[in-house]
Amino acid sequence: MTAAPAPPTACIFCDACASREVDLVLLRGQHSFVILNLYPYNNGHLMVVPNRHLCALETLTLDEQAELMRFARLSEMALTETYHPQGINVGINLGKAAGAGIENHLHIHLVPRWSGDTNFMTAIGDTRVLPEDLSATAARLRPVFERLAQPGA
Ligand SMILES: [Zn+2]
């Protein structure tokens, strides 16, 4: 008997975690994964997400905390190598009032920044800055993540 595909949930991150075929996912770990933002504020805008559906830092285990930070570090390295940004915003929005688009599943944004690009608040206000095609972004970043995530790398 073959396993039935997981039924879709109301959460895009849980769906991305359960599906092996989501082409926005750049890296999968034991406790978390890295996925491109579907509506990027800048080229390379990605998110580090715990596999578990939880909404606060409070509920993270130590292993989850360690891997989330490890993946945030790898994301910084991959974005720096690939896009040469002049800065990177790293941020977590907890709750709708804080700007969380998906408020029930914790995620850490990493947004590459260049001086003179749209400022972050304006970007949130819906101004998009020339995002490249997401499949092109994934194709550029995925091999970099695969190399950087090797043990000992
Ligand atoms: Zn979820």
Side-chain angles (χ1 to χ4, degrees):
M1 184 175 134
T2 51
T9 66
C11 174
I12 64 156
F13 291 135
C14 286
D15 287 347
C17 181
S19 168
R20 292 284 122 186
E21 294 167 22
V22 177
D23 62 3
L24 298 180
V25 174
L26 302 174
L27 180 67
R28 292 180 189 275
Q30 241 189 309
H31 307 288
S32 54
F33 60 99
V34 179
I35 186 170
L36 286 176
N37 193 301
L38 195 52
Y39 305 102
Y41 298 135
N42 253 346
N43 294 332
H45 179 180
L46 53 77
M47 297 169 294
V48 182
V49 188
N51 292 347
R52 283 200 301 141
H53 185 86
L54 44 82
C55 64
L57 297 168
E58 180 183 1
T59 41
L60 290 170
T61 67
L62 282 174
D63 285 344
E64 286 169 335
Q65 293 172 50
E67 195 176 75
L68 285 170
M69 188 48 73
R70 175 169 169 254
F71 281 7
R73 174 178 175 270
L74 291 180
S75 298
E76 176 202 271
M77 293 163 69
L79 290 173
T80 298
E81 176 180 326
T82 307
Y83 288 96
H84 312 288
Q86 295 169 312
I88 301 175
N89 286 106
V90 181
I92 305 174
N93 301 327
L94 296 176
K96 199 178 275 290
I102 295 153
E103 58 180 318
N104 293 321
H105 197 137
L106 184 74
H107 50 287
I108 306 171
H109 291 270
L110 281 93
V111 184
R113 300 300 310 277
W114 291 264
S115 342
D117 68 10
T118 317
N119 84 45
F120 197 60
M121 294 313 294
T122 310
I124 287 171
D126 224 20
T127 306
R128 307 293 184 207
V129 186
L130 305 174
E132 73 186 345
D133 185 72
L134 282 177
S135 59
T137 304
R140 289 178 73 177
L141 284 172
R142 193 174 288 115
V144 179
F145 271 99
E146 282 168 6
R147 171 167 44 78
L148 292 174
Q150 296 299 314

